Amino acid sequence: MRTGFFGNIGFGCGRDGAQRAPRRPSARRAVFGLALLAVPLALGGCHSPNMRVRRAVTLYYMGDYPQAQQTLAPEISRKNKNFVLNNCRYGSCAIAAGNLRDAQLAFYNAYEVMNSVHTNTVGRTLGAAVVYEGIKVWKGQPYERAMAHYYLGLIYLIKNHFNDARAAFANSLFRLRAYGRSRRDARAGHRYGWIDSNFTLGYFGLGLCYQELGRHALARANFRRAEQLNPALAPAVQMMRRRGANTVIFVDYGMGPRPAPHGWYGEKSAFVPTVAEAGPVPPVAAYADGRLLPASGYDAAVDTLALAQDKRWDSMDTLRETKAVIGTGLVAGGLGTAMIAGDRNDGEVGLIGLGAAALGMALTASSRVDVRYWEMLPRAVMVVPAALTPGPHTIQVAMAGSACQPFTVRVRRRGLTVLYVRLLP
Amino acid sequence: MPEKSTGHGAAGWRPGARGLKRAFAAVVGVLALTGLAGCGPAISAHAHTTFLSARDLLHMTDQMAASLAGSPRLAALTKNGPMVIVLKRVSNQTDEILTRGEEELFVHRVRVLLAQQPLLRRRFRFVLNRKTYYDLLREEQIPAAQLGPRESRVVPQYVLDATFYSDTHVSRKFRSDYYLCAYQLVDIHTGVIVWQNTYETKKSAVSGFLY
């Protein structure tokens, strides 16, 4: 009697099933079924942003920052895997709404966890490695971490708490990975090393802080480094250092990068749009009392699209790629084995082949990139310094068909007046 | 009578198949459990940073209070009467953000430790700084005229302050902070440092192998 190996699996699809007495569904089977059901649930159910977050993002890009902040408020105290991400989102809404207190608290929460280690429990770490990366506690891509520290520094700058701002900017300048340039480097084991950050905003912010703290040598060194990394910042730096600017306007423009995984199973991380796709950042025009400020019109201090494309700012794909390769091998090998076993009528080997193929499928499915990202990040940050007389001034900022409402600000007699403007595309 | 397993093509559950089924169930179970681990509370209780902690605060301020109390130079200076000291909050030169409250906590705990002991209370007398004092007068609506002659008021002679420095190295996977926390007691009129002490600590943290 020929019995295919499918008959041996025991789900009543073999010929012998008719001869056997009907089985009672056992508790073990029920648990097994539930476990099987839990896998896709665990894979798919946990990573999509909830409705509240989606609504907040929509409100944010409609320019209703206070409402977006209010919508996200219930999310920021939940210490779940999106704790840092939700606090970053909330901070973006709060700073754009002019609510510095809430923004500071949110970015401070993010700062504390971002600078922690062993943040994930053992189960979660294992789950992230075996099942799906998206279940780990989100700490962001390196450029997102740098931007979170920058916002915290900016809030302290606005409040003229220069020492705290200095600490925040210093934390945005963590070391980055530098890949070996040649195959010889790779063969010699110098696949990558660590290099100093090229996050221009961090150096510029540090320069501002040190200047206000009266540590002029350090201010000069940081401004010089910012200029070296981004020559477009030179006029702003000159204005800050030599022409006695007492006001700085930080302008956020556009939408930042979003993840677009590629590879067979989406295991390789990539971000879109690229700088070439999005085009150059338009020049900024800032007006004080109707007069164009002389430092307007320069290039961006930071372009997050460029940072996201830079390999030095990328996270490691190694684990995911390894899982994808092993998974593909297991699927191919397992199915091949199963087919050969089917021809030879070898149920046991066939079952092993099918098991291997199933494991391979699970591995490939779990090699997907974590697609959570900070939706509110701008495409570019522009810096416009100005020397204004102390007292009230009407400020307006415009970029490529987008402009903020004119607003009145009182320029400080002492210290630095720092303004933040968010422009949407 | 149940059919005995003979290998190929045999009906029913053979020991090999049962083992495979169990192994498959175990893999699925582990996958499900690890997957579901992602839906519970997330941030581990073992998460830590290289920042100054509450433990550092206790060690540091205990050490400073003991050093102040045991200093022979200060004992000589307080022989004829108490030192009147005003406190300044910590000057933070580290790469860690210290809130205003934290900056005050690191010096005020030293004050509290000294003030707790009656013997030391006779040697060290602490007064409010000028801003806090005038804010208090304003809040309590006490006019300056009621305070009596200026000469009769207590004037601080010394200032107790602290400066925290750090040497920080950060990459994506590693962070180390070496902290030097320097406390000093300065004679306001002469600028002479009459007492100083330091607390040093090095902290490093390496991210997990995977995440």
Side-chain angles (χ1 to χ4, degrees):
Chain A
M1 186 172 74
R2 188 179 186 275
T3 307
F5 60 79
F6 288 108
N8 290 336
I9 298 174
F11 290 102
C13 55
R15 290 184 192 174
D16 299 326
Q19 294 166 7
R20 272 186 258 136
R23 288 185 181 185
R24 281 184 301 154
S26 65
R28 205 188 301 167
R29 279 189 173 195
V31 170
F32 182 67
L34 279 175
L36 258 180
L37 194 66
V39 173
L41 279 178
L43 281 171
C46 294
H47 76 279
S48 55
N50 64 30
M51 285 305 291
R52 197 177 282 138
V53 171
R54 284 184 194 161
R55 185 156 178 265
V57 173
T58 309
L59 286 165
Y60 182 86
Y61 280 104
M62 283 164 60
D64 192 349
Y65 308 121
Q67 196 60 40
Q69 185 194 340
Q70 209 178 332
T71 307
L72 274 174
E75 296 290 330
I76 58 162
S77 51
R78 288 187 192 147
K79 294 216 165 179
N80 57 18
K81 61 181 180 160
N82 292 330
F83 177 74
V84 178
L85 179 55
N86 286 334
N87 272 280
C88 286
R89 288 165 171 157
Y90 182 82
S92 287
C93 299
I95 193 173
N99 191 339
L100 289 185
R101 192 180 148 274
D102 288 352
Q104 181 186 326
L105 198 66
F107 283 120
Y108 190 83
N109 285 339
Y111 152 84
E112 279 198 315
V113 182
M114 277 179 175
N115 287 293
S116 302
V117 292
H118 304 295
T119 324
N120 292 288
T121 56
V122 176
R124 191 171 288 271
T125 305
L126 188 66
V130 178
V131 179
Y132 175 51
E133 196 182 67
I135 64 171
K136 70 179 181 186
V137 174
W138 185 93
K139 287 190 186 178
Q141 292 289 331
Y143 72 88
E144 288 168 312
R145 291 175 56 187
M147 287 299 287
H149 286 102
Y150 151 71
Y151 281 118
L152 188 57
L154 176 61
I155 291 162
Y156 286 126
L157 262 189
I158 294 171
K159 294 169 109 178
N160 274 209
H161 293 177
F162 298 113
N163 238 334
D164 295 332
R166 179 196 54 75
F169 285 125
N171 278 298
S172 73
L173 297 172
F174 46 83
R175 304 196 88 198
L176 301 169
R177 241 164 6 128
Y179 286 85
R181 292 190 176 191
S182 62
R183 286 188 176 187
R184 189 183 296 168
D185 284 344
R187 274 200 298 272
H190 306 307
R191 186 63 191 254
Y192 62 83
W194 296 99
I195 54 158
D196 285 335
S197 174
N198 60 349
F199 187 61
T200 327
L201 268 178
Y203 292 106
F204 185 78
L206 274 181
L208 283 179
C209 296
Y210 281 127
Q211 183 163 290
E212 293 303 313
L213 289 166
R215 300 169 75 178
H216 296 288
L218 281 169
R220 254 195 317 276
N222 281 287
F223 278 140
R224 198 180 305 131
R225 185 83 183 114
E227 261 183 288
Q228 281 169 355
L229 290 169
N230 184 0
L233 262 181
V237 168
Q238 298 303 321
M239 183 102 190
M240 284 312 304
R241 283 185 55 199
R242 294 189 192 145
R243 287 186 235 160
N246 60 351
T247 306
V248 188
I249 309 171
F250 286 85
V251 185
D252 277 4
Y253 173 77
M255 293 170 80
R258 59 180 192 281
H262 64 281
W264 281 12
Y265 314 103
E267 76 278 10
K268 290 180 183 168
S269 66
F271 294 89
V272 291
T274 61
V275 179
E277 286 163 358
V281 180
V284 62
Y287 301 86
D289 305 317
R291 289 194 316 274
L292 184 68
L293 292 172
S296 297
Y298 299 115
D299 283 345
V302 155
D303 185 343
T304 54
L305 297 189
L307 287 186
Q309 300 299 327
D310 189 339
K311 205 67 186 158
R312 287 174 296 186
W313 287 86
D314 208 354
S315 66
M316 284 176 85
D317 290 333
T318 319
L319 180 64
R320 290 188 304 269
E321 286 178 13
T322 309
K323 277 161 70 178
V325 169
I326 295 173
T328 309
L330 279 173
V331 171
L335 287 179
T337 308
M339 282 170 69
I340 293 166
D343 287 344
R344 293 182 182 175
N345 232 356
D346 187 341
E348 212 165 293
V349 175
L351 201 61
I352 290 171
L354 276 186
L359 189 65
M361 281 181 212
L363 265 181
T364 51
S366 71
S367 63
R368 275 182 305 156
V369 172
D370 179 6
V371 289
R372 290 173 295 171
Y373 74 110
W374 185 359
E375 298 88 347
M376 284 83 166
L377 268 190
R379 154 98 200 250
V381 180
M382 327 285 281
V383 182
V384 185
L388 301 173
T389 52
H393 292 276
T394 304
I395 305 288
Q396 190 173 23
V397 182
M399 270 177 96
S402 173
C404 69
Q405 290 290 325
F407 59 96
T408 302
V409 63
R410 183 170 287 277
V411 172
R412 294 167 187 257
R413 193 166 291 281
R414 293 177 63 193
L416 192 66
T417 304
V418 180
L419 307 171
Y420 170 77
V421 173
R422 181 68 167 106
L423 292 181
L424 299 171
Chain B
M1 190 176 162
E3 193 174 346
K4 194 179 173 186
S5 173
T6 53
H8 308 296
W13 285 100
R14 296 163 304 154
R18 193 175 296 149
L20 280 171
K21 187 184 166 192
R22 280 184 186 160
F24 185 63
V27 168
V28 171
V30 168
L31 283 175
L33 281 176
T34 48
L36 288 173
C39 296
I43 297 170
S44 162
H46 301 293
H48 63 275
T49 64
T50 56
F51 297 158
L52 289 170
S53 62
R55 200 174 155 180
D56 291 308
L57 166 74
L58 297 181
H59 281 179
M60 189 189 306
T61 48
D62 283 351
Q63 193 180 310
M64 293 306 137
S67 172
L68 274 164
S71 162
R73 188 170 180 193
L74 297 190
L77 285 169
T78 53
K79 207 171 173 182
N80 298 322
M83 293 178 122
V84 182
I85 302 171
V86 67
L87 297 175
K88 250 180 89 177
R89 65 165 193 260
V90 169
S91 167
N92 176 24
Q93 305 297 324
T94 69
D95 280 357
E96 175 189 346
I97 296 168
L98 291 180
T99 61
R100 290 291 137 105
E102 285 168 336
E103 286 174 354
E104 293 190 351
L105 195 63
F106 279 96
V107 282
H108 279 275
R109 189 164 188 275
V110 177
R111 172 182 63 79
V112 171
L113 287 172
L114 292 174
Q116 272 173 348
Q117 297 180 42
L119 271 177
L120 293 174
R121 221 163 28 222
R122 277 184 228 142
R123 290 173 51 197
F124 302 104
R125 187 179 294 169
F126 292 93
V127 292
L128 298 176
N129 65 38
R130 181 181 289 267
K131 185 179 178 299
T132 314
Y133 178 62
Y134 283 107
D135 284 349
L136 184 67
L137 290 182
R138 210 170 17 255
E139 270 174 35
E140 298 301 321
Q141 297 177 340
I142 299 171
Q146 278 186 20
L147 298 174
R150 187 176 283 271
E151 298 77 36
S152 67
R153 295 184 209 166
V154 177
V155 177
Q157 301 158 315
Y158 297 91
V159 59
L160 176 66
D161 67 4
T163 308
F164 291 1
Y165 305 92
S166 75
D167 182 22
T168 303
H169 297 277
V170 195
S171 70
R172 276 208 81 192
K173 287 275 178 189
F174 175 80
R175 179 178 176 122
S176 79
D177 285 273
Y178 162 72
Y179 290 98
L180 174 69
C181 306
Y183 281 72
Q184 57 182 15
L185 190 65
V186 181
D187 186 329
I188 295 173
H189 303 289
T190 61
V192 173
I193 299 170
V194 294
W195 168 89
Q196 59 187 327
N197 204 344
T198 57
Y199 173 86
E200 294 174 52
T201 183
K202 183 172 181 183
K203 297 173 171 233
S204 52
V206 184
S207 294
F209 172 66
L210 294 170
Y211 299 107

